[in-house]
Amino acid sequence: MPIAYLTRRERFASAHRLFQPGLSNDENLNLYGQCSHPNWHGHNYELFVTVRGEVNPQTGFVLNLKTLSSILKGKVIEKLDHRNLNVDVDFLEGLVPTTENLAIAIWACIEDDINAMGAKLHCIKVQESENNFIEYRGE
Amino acid sequence: MPIAYLTRRERFASAHRLFQPGLSNDENLNLYGQCSHPNWHGHNYELFVTVRGEVNPQTGFVLNLKTLSSILKGKVIEKLDHRNLNVDVDFLEGLVPTTENLAIAIWACIEDDINAMGAKLHCIKVQESENNFIEYRGE
Amino acid sequence: MPIAYLTRRERFASAHRLFQPGLSNDENLNLYGQCSHPNWHGHNYELFVTVRGEVNPQTGFVLNLKTLSSILKGKVIEKLDHRNLNVDVDFLEGLVPTTENLAIAIWACIEDDINAMGAKLHCIKVQESENNFIEYRGE
Amino acid sequence: MPIAYLTRRERFASAHRLFQPGLSNDENLNLYGQCSHPNWHGHNYELFVTVRGEVNPQTGFVLNLKTLSSILKGKVIEKLDHRNLNVDVDFLEGLVPTTENLAIAIWACIEDDINAMGAKLHCIKVQESENNFIEYRGE
Amino acid sequence: MPIAYLTRRERFASAHRLFQPGLSNDENLNLYGQCSHPNWHGHNYELFVTVRGEVNPQTGFVLNLKTLSSILKGKVIEKLDHRNLNVDVDFLEGLVPTTENLAIAIWACIEDDINAMGAKLHCIKVQESENNFIEYRGE
Amino acid sequence: MPIAYLTRRERFASAHRLFQPGLSNDENLNLYGQCSHPNWHGHNYELFVTVRGEVNPQTGFVLNLKTLSSILKGKVIEKLDHRNLNVDVDFLEGLVPTTENLAIAIWACIEDDINAMGAKLHCIKVQESENNFIEYRGE
């Protein structure tokens, strides 16, 4: 049976700040630039989740997009959208909310649910701005 | 000689409906949601064809884009554009016209022509909406 | 009080066909080209609704986006999305479903609701493809 | 001499929260929904500034884009980008930072500088997300 | 009969250089910056032509898009695409090829043809980059 | 330590012409079509540089985006932007400036700098128009 890659885009708008609690304000500023501004800033993030799986010969689907979108909304988007990534999100606790860490943490949130549907999580892409994005592939 | 990946985008606007003839209307509705609406709906599809090959040291090309675009237009776009994917397309007969099946069927339409040009078909990506797309890589 | 223009984008995916019942197939083909294909084709339409009004000095809003989006979904999107514009839509009956007629008909669907909110409908823009769109401003 | 409209796009990434200090948390939540979340959220904003003026027959310019961009960066972008719109911005003090108020306030920041260059400020467009934007034209 | 605005997008890729023959290289550099680089540079231009007219009650069209596109291709795109705007284009002779002058000159190229179709040319928009565009409305 | 892929987008606007000095004008025209036009044409190019590396557990970064952007600007963009790819660019000398050759040459310009930062260059993508792009991955 042929194998295909299905990608679903979701969006969230969040505040964040890049800083390490163990560093001084000046050290954080030196390392993260204006991304460490103490009163926060924010982004319209785009999340692209790619799943790899056999195409079911009856349905013609790798998996049902509505189910995938429900999982993403329940496990990821509702926790991130219109929230503060440093303060409000259980699965980001203790992490500097860089785009890298965000992508890795989102992978962990949904990997089991994707597996349970008989497919495999292939890539988490998080786009922070039109000029920058991160991909994480479980490596 | 270095190897590069060339991608060409083409577009087509088609009607379709997701349903299995062996299922009742209610079963189709339950499985495919409003995508099974009996009077059809449609999309502006985007097709991205990626070809892998050596860069010819004289021409600087993997292959000639005009030739690639001609193949895509003759073998794929003219058959899909302003057509009904369930009814009008020979190479989709007997298939539920999901994005997955569309990508796999387009691969079969053009693989030989790409090979005959001395390159290798690498990926067929079909984007159905700004939130969903499928990639097929011949697996 | 200052006046601003608020625009909301919504999307719908529909099938349609351009033809006049009083013309022969050949006359329709001559007039509308492949857009008159008898088995339908379709598009991902984008709808941009622009409303003009005073900015409320308490709320800072022309009007509440959630209310506007609810109106658009209830009066327009639910009737068009995953539907056939020639067959399924009460407010398009008897019209050739060109982008022009679509924009004019959508204006009529929502004008009263916008007025009732204390603002004024300013423009309906319907984008049929990346190369073509129509604006209607109530003229 | 012919008259043209020149538009320049700039971008900024900011945190904000919609709330009125005179209302309770519940009243703010009822009015602004999740946009009133107390720990802030944020956006990648796009700013489009349109200037109207005669095309100088020597230079072929309405005005010099580099000068326009410098004004926008100095008067607007440096104050908004990677900042908190409720807390950090002098020209937004006392305002609910809705997109409407943002557009009106940006107009006031740059109107004199545009006039001093011999052109006229025509429109401030602020896009908060791919689905929502505000235009202010000095009315 | 209702009036609508129809917009068609076309694209062209051209080389150009901003300079005035009566100025020295240094004066041109001071005025136009790197846009005056003597060996040319180039852009992917986007042209948006907006036409205003009554919606024909039989056809549902302001005017036929295929006819409009043919006019644009014959009178404008074939003369600009893959050409040098300073050297190759009859209707730009003697002009500094700024985006402003390009928009004004394109208006003159097609105004009569649009009028002859019973509509009115409303706006020529030329987008030079994702950050800059010009609109000309015949003023 | 987890591994992620970081992509940075940069842009440049350049003139070029596709032709081989050893061929006649007619042979070049036959091979490259209007891309061989003798007076040049041009594009707004988009460059996407993807780097692969471990996510530093302290910083949360694969590498610092500001450093990456500085390298790209100094080694690539300043040499290409508002320049003629056939005439002005040392690292393209002797090459037909196809998108393929551009991607391969950009890889060579920055590979050592990326390695020196402890990451690995993964992919150079150059987009010449909305319909065509090339990826080079060091093969």
Side-chain angles (χ1 to χ4, degrees), chain E residues 28-60:
Chain E
N28 273 305
L29 187 66
N30 193 47
L31 179 58
Y32 294 117
Q34 57 179 355
C35 295
S36 73
H37 178 67
N39 291 332
W40 324 99
H41 65 284
H43 300 286
N44 298 329
Y45 288 93
E46 288 185 277
L47 169 65
F48 297 82
V49 174
T50 303
V51 169
R52 179 186 187 275
E54 293 183 349
V55 179
N56 181 303
Q58 253 71 48
T59 62

Short mmCIF file of all heavy atoms in Angstrom, two decimals, chain E residues 28-60:
data_model
loop_
_atom_site.label_atom_id
_atom_site.label_comp_id
_atom_site.label_asym_id
_atom_site.label_seq_id
_atom_site.Cartn_x
_atom_site.Cartn_y
_atom_site.Cartn_z
N ASN E 28 23.29 60.45 -8.83
CA ASN E 28 22.31 59.38 -8.96
C ASN E 28 22.37 58.42 -7.77
O ASN E 28 21.34 58.02 -7.22
CB ASN E 28 22.53 58.59 -10.27
CG ASN E 28 21.81 59.23 -11.45
OD1 ASN E 28 20.60 59.45 -11.40
ND2 ASN E 28 22.55 59.54 -12.51
N LEU E 29 23.58 58.09 -7.36
CA LEU E 29 23.75 57.20 -6.21
C LEU E 29 23.16 57.83 -4.95
O LEU E 29 22.51 57.17 -4.14
CB LEU E 29 25.24 56.89 -6.01
CG LEU E 29 25.57 55.84 -4.95
CD1 LEU E 29 25.07 54.47 -5.36
CD2 LEU E 29 27.08 55.78 -4.69
N ASN E 30 23.39 59.12 -4.80
CA ASN E 30 22.87 59.82 -3.62
C ASN E 30 21.33 59.83 -3.63
O ASN E 30 20.69 59.68 -2.60
CB ASN E 30 23.40 61.25 -3.61
CG ASN E 30 23.15 61.93 -2.28
OD1 ASN E 30 23.42 61.34 -1.22
ND2 ASN E 30 22.62 63.13 -2.33
N LEU E 31 20.75 59.99 -4.81
CA LEU E 31 19.29 60.08 -4.93
C LEU E 31 18.62 58.71 -4.90
O LEU E 31 17.62 58.51 -4.21
CB LEU E 31 18.95 60.79 -6.25
CG LEU E 31 17.48 60.97 -6.61
CD1 LEU E 31 16.73 61.74 -5.53
CD2 LEU E 31 17.37 61.71 -7.96
N TYR E 32 19.16 57.76 -5.62
CA TYR E 32 18.47 56.47 -5.81
C TYR E 32 19.12 55.31 -5.07
O TYR E 32 18.61 54.19 -5.11
CB TYR E 32 18.42 56.13 -7.31
CG TYR E 32 17.55 57.07 -8.13
CD1 TYR E 32 18.10 57.87 -9.14
CD2 TYR E 32 16.19 57.16 -7.88
CE1 TYR E 32 17.30 58.72 -9.89
CE2 TYR E 32 15.39 58.03 -8.62
CZ TYR E 32 15.95 58.79 -9.62
OH TYR E 32 15.16 59.64 -10.34
N GLY E 33 20.24 55.55 -4.41
CA GLY E 33 20.90 54.48 -3.67
C GLY E 33 21.30 53.35 -4.60
O GLY E 33 21.60 53.58 -5.79
N GLN E 34 21.27 52.14 -4.10
CA GLN E 34 21.72 50.99 -4.88
C GLN E 34 20.80 50.71 -6.07
O GLN E 34 21.17 49.93 -6.96
CB GLN E 34 21.88 49.77 -4.00
CG GLN E 34 20.63 49.37 -3.25
CD GLN E 34 20.84 48.13 -2.39
OE1 GLN E 34 21.88 47.49 -2.42
NE2 GLN E 34 19.82 47.78 -1.63
N CYS E 35 19.61 51.35 -6.11
CA CYS E 35 18.74 51.19 -7.28
C CYS E 35 19.36 51.81 -8.54
O CYS E 35 18.85 51.58 -9.64
CB CYS E 35 17.36 51.80 -7.03
SG CYS E 35 16.45 50.94 -5.74
N SER E 36 20.42 52.61 -8.36
CA SER E 36 21.08 53.20 -9.53
C SER E 36 22.29 52.39 -9.98
O SER E 36 23.05 52.82 -10.86
CB SER E 36 21.49 54.64 -9.24
OG SER E 36 22.60 54.66 -8.35
N HIS E 37 22.50 51.24 -9.39
CA HIS E 37 23.65 50.40 -9.75
C HIS E 37 23.76 50.27 -11.29
O HIS E 37 22.81 49.87 -11.96
CB HIS E 37 23.48 49.01 -9.13
CG HIS E 37 24.57 48.06 -9.48
ND1 HIS E 37 25.86 48.20 -9.07
CD2 HIS E 37 24.54 46.93 -10.25
CE1 HIS E 37 26.60 47.23 -9.55
NE2 HIS E 37 25.82 46.44 -10.28
N PRO E 38 24.94 50.61 -11.85
CA PRO E 38 25.05 50.73 -13.32
C PRO E 38 24.81 49.43 -14.09
O PRO E 38 24.37 49.50 -15.25
CB PRO E 38 26.50 51.20 -13.54
CG PRO E 38 27.15 51.29 -12.23
CD PRO E 38 26.15 51.06 -11.15
N ASN E 39 25.07 48.28 -13.50
CA ASN E 39 24.89 47.02 -14.24
C ASN E 39 23.49 46.43 -14.10
O ASN E 39 23.31 45.24 -14.36
CB ASN E 39 25.94 45.99 -13.80
CG ASN E 39 27.33 46.39 -14.24
OD1 ASN E 39 27.51 47.07 -15.25
ND2 ASN E 39 28.32 45.99 -13.47
N TRP E 40 22.53 47.26 -13.66
CA TRP E 40 21.13 46.84 -13.55
C TRP E 40 20.88 45.92 -12.36
O TRP E 40 21.80 45.35 -11.79
CB TRP E 40 20.64 46.12 -14.83
CG TRP E 40 21.19 46.67 -16.08
CD1 TRP E 40 22.23 46.19 -16.80
CD2 TRP E 40 20.75 47.86 -16.78
NE1 TRP E 40 22.47 46.97 -17.89
CE2 TRP E 40 21.57 48.00 -17.92
CE3 TRP E 40 19.74 48.80 -16.57
CZ2 TRP E 40 21.42 49.04 -18.83
CZ3 TRP E 40 19.59 49.82 -17.47
CH2 TRP E 40 20.43 49.94 -18.58
N HIS E 41 19.63 45.85 -11.98
CA HIS E 41 19.14 44.80 -11.07
C HIS E 41 17.73 44.47 -11.59
O HIS E 41 17.38 44.91 -12.69
CB HIS E 41 19.14 45.27 -9.61
CG HIS E 41 18.21 46.38 -9.32
ND1 HIS E 41 18.47 47.68 -9.69
CD2 HIS E 41 16.99 46.41 -8.73
CE1 HIS E 41 17.47 48.45 -9.33
NE2 HIS E 41 16.55 47.71 -8.75
N GLY E 42 16.91 43.73 -10.84
CA GLY E 42 15.60 43.38 -11.40
C GLY E 42 14.61 42.95 -10.35
O GLY E 42 14.94 42.84 -9.16
N HIS E 43 13.39 42.72 -10.81
CA HIS E 43 12.29 42.38 -9.91
C HIS E 43 11.31 41.43 -10.60
O HIS E 43 11.17 41.44 -11.81
CB HIS E 43 11.51 43.63 -9.48
CG HIS E 43 12.32 44.65 -8.76
ND1 HIS E 43 12.74 44.47 -7.46
CD2 HIS E 43 12.81 45.86 -9.14
CE1 HIS E 43 13.45 45.53 -7.08
NE2 HIS E 43 13.51 46.38 -8.08
N ASN E 44 10.58 40.67 -9.78
CA ASN E 44 9.33 40.03 -10.18
C ASN E 44 8.21 41.03 -9.87
O ASN E 44 7.83 41.18 -8.71
CB ASN E 44 9.08 38.75 -9.37
CG ASN E 44 10.14 37.69 -9.58
OD1 ASN E 44 10.74 37.58 -10.64
ND2 ASN E 44 10.38 36.90 -8.54
N TYR E 45 7.73 41.70 -10.87
CA TYR E 45 6.65 42.67 -10.67
C TYR E 45 5.30 41.97 -10.70
O TYR E 45 5.09 41.04 -11.49
CB TYR E 45 6.66 43.72 -11.77
CG TYR E 45 7.79 44.71 -11.70
CD1 TYR E 45 8.98 44.49 -12.40
CD2 TYR E 45 7.68 45.88 -10.97
CE1 TYR E 45 10.02 45.41 -12.36
CE2 TYR E 45 8.72 46.80 -10.92
CZ TYR E 45 9.89 46.56 -11.62
OH TYR E 45 10.91 47.47 -11.58
N GLU E 46 4.37 42.48 -9.89
CA GLU E 46 2.97 42.07 -9.99
C GLU E 46 2.14 43.28 -10.41
O GLU E 46 2.28 44.36 -9.83
CB GLU E 46 2.44 41.55 -8.66
CG GLU E 46 3.01 40.20 -8.29
CD GLU E 46 2.37 39.66 -7.03
OE1 GLU E 46 2.82 40.06 -5.93
OE2 GLU E 46 1.44 38.87 -7.13
N LEU E 47 1.31 43.08 -11.41
CA LEU E 47 0.43 44.13 -11.92
C LEU E 47 -1.01 43.76 -11.61
O LEU E 47 -1.46 42.66 -11.96
CB LEU E 47 0.61 44.26 -13.43
CG LEU E 47 -0.40 45.11 -14.19
CD1 LEU E 47 -0.31 46.58 -13.79
CD2 LEU E 47 -0.19 44.96 -15.70
N PHE E 48 -1.73 44.67 -10.94
CA PHE E 48 -3.16 44.49 -10.66
C PHE E 48 -3.93 45.59 -11.38
O PHE E 48 -3.77 46.76 -11.05
CB PHE E 48 -3.45 44.60 -9.15
CG PHE E 48 -2.78 43.56 -8.31
CD1 PHE E 48 -1.46 43.69 -7.92
CD2 PHE E 48 -3.47 42.42 -7.90
CE1 PHE E 48 -0.83 42.73 -7.13
CE2 PHE E 48 -2.86 41.46 -7.11
CZ PHE E 48 -1.54 41.60 -6.73
N VAL E 49 -4.76 45.20 -12.35
CA VAL E 49 -5.55 46.15 -13.12
C VAL E 49 -7.00 46.06 -12.65
O VAL E 49 -7.61 44.98 -12.73
CB VAL E 49 -5.45 45.87 -14.62
CG1 VAL E 49 -6.39 46.76 -15.41
CG2 VAL E 49 -4.01 46.06 -15.08
N THR E 50 -7.54 47.18 -12.18
CA THR E 50 -8.93 47.21 -11.70
C THR E 50 -9.79 48.02 -12.65
O THR E 50 -9.46 49.17 -12.98
CB THR E 50 -9.02 47.81 -10.29
OG1 THR E 50 -8.19 47.05 -9.41
CG2 THR E 50 -10.46 47.79 -9.77
N VAL E 51 -10.91 47.41 -13.07
CA VAL E 51 -11.83 48.01 -14.02
C VAL E 51 -13.18 48.15 -13.34
O VAL E 51 -13.60 47.25 -12.61
CB VAL E 51 -11.94 47.09 -15.25
CG1 VAL E 51 -13.07 47.50 -16.15
CG2 VAL E 51 -10.62 47.09 -16.01
N ARG E 52 -13.83 49.29 -13.55
CA ARG E 52 -15.14 49.56 -12.93
C ARG E 52 -16.21 49.56 -14.01
O ARG E 52 -16.03 50.18 -15.08
CB ARG E 52 -15.09 50.94 -12.27
CG ARG E 52 -16.39 51.39 -11.59
CD ARG E 52 -16.21 52.82 -11.11
NE ARG E 52 -17.33 53.27 -10.31
CZ ARG E 52 -18.46 53.79 -10.80
NH1 ARG E 52 -18.62 53.91 -12.10
NH2 ARG E 52 -19.43 54.17 -9.99
N GLY E 53 -17.34 48.86 -13.76
CA GLY E 53 -18.39 48.87 -14.76
C GLY E 53 -19.66 48.23 -14.25
O GLY E 53 -19.68 47.58 -13.20
N GLU E 54 -20.72 48.41 -15.02
CA GLU E 54 -22.00 47.77 -14.71
C GLU E 54 -21.87 46.26 -14.91
O GLU E 54 -21.20 45.81 -15.84
CB GLU E 54 -23.09 48.31 -15.63
CG GLU E 54 -23.41 49.76 -15.38
CD GLU E 54 -24.55 50.24 -16.27
OE1 GLU E 54 -24.92 49.51 -17.21
OE2 GLU E 54 -25.04 51.36 -16.04
N VAL E 55 -22.57 45.53 -14.06
CA VAL E 55 -22.61 44.08 -14.22
C VAL E 55 -23.71 43.76 -15.22
O VAL E 55 -24.88 44.02 -14.99
CB VAL E 55 -22.88 43.40 -12.86
CG1 VAL E 55 -22.94 41.88 -13.04
CG2 VAL E 55 -21.78 43.77 -11.86
N ASN E 56 -23.32 43.19 -16.35
CA ASN E 56 -24.27 42.83 -17.41
C ASN E 56 -25.27 41.81 -16.86
O ASN E 56 -24.86 40.74 -16.39
CB ASN E 56 -23.48 42.26 -18.59
CG ASN E 56 -24.38 41.89 -19.75
OD1 ASN E 56 -25.30 41.09 -19.60
ND2 ASN E 56 -24.10 42.48 -20.90
N PRO E 57 -26.57 42.11 -16.93
CA PRO E 57 -27.54 41.21 -16.31
C PRO E 57 -27.65 39.85 -17.02
O PRO E 57 -28.07 38.88 -16.40
CB PRO E 57 -28.86 41.99 -16.42
CG PRO E 57 -28.65 43.02 -17.46
CD PRO E 57 -27.19 43.31 -17.52
N GLN E 58 -27.27 39.76 -18.28
CA GLN E 58 -27.28 38.45 -18.97
C GLN E 58 -26.06 37.62 -18.57
O GLN E 58 -26.18 36.50 -18.09
CB GLN E 58 -27.26 38.65 -20.50
CG GLN E 58 -28.60 38.35 -21.16
CD GLN E 58 -29.61 39.43 -20.82
OE1 GLN E 58 -29.33 40.62 -20.91
NE2 GLN E 58 -30.80 39.01 -20.39
N THR E 59 -24.88 38.21 -18.79
CA THR E 59 -23.65 37.42 -18.59
C THR E 59 -23.23 37.32 -17.13
O THR E 59 -22.53 36.39 -16.74
CB THR E 59 -22.47 38.05 -19.37
OG1 THR E 59 -22.24 39.37 -18.83
CG2 THR E 59 -22.77 38.16 -20.85
N GLY E 60 -23.62 38.32 -16.32
CA GLY E 60 -23.13 38.37 -14.95
C GLY E 60 -21.70 38.88 -14.85
O GLY E 60 -21.06 38.77 -13.80
#
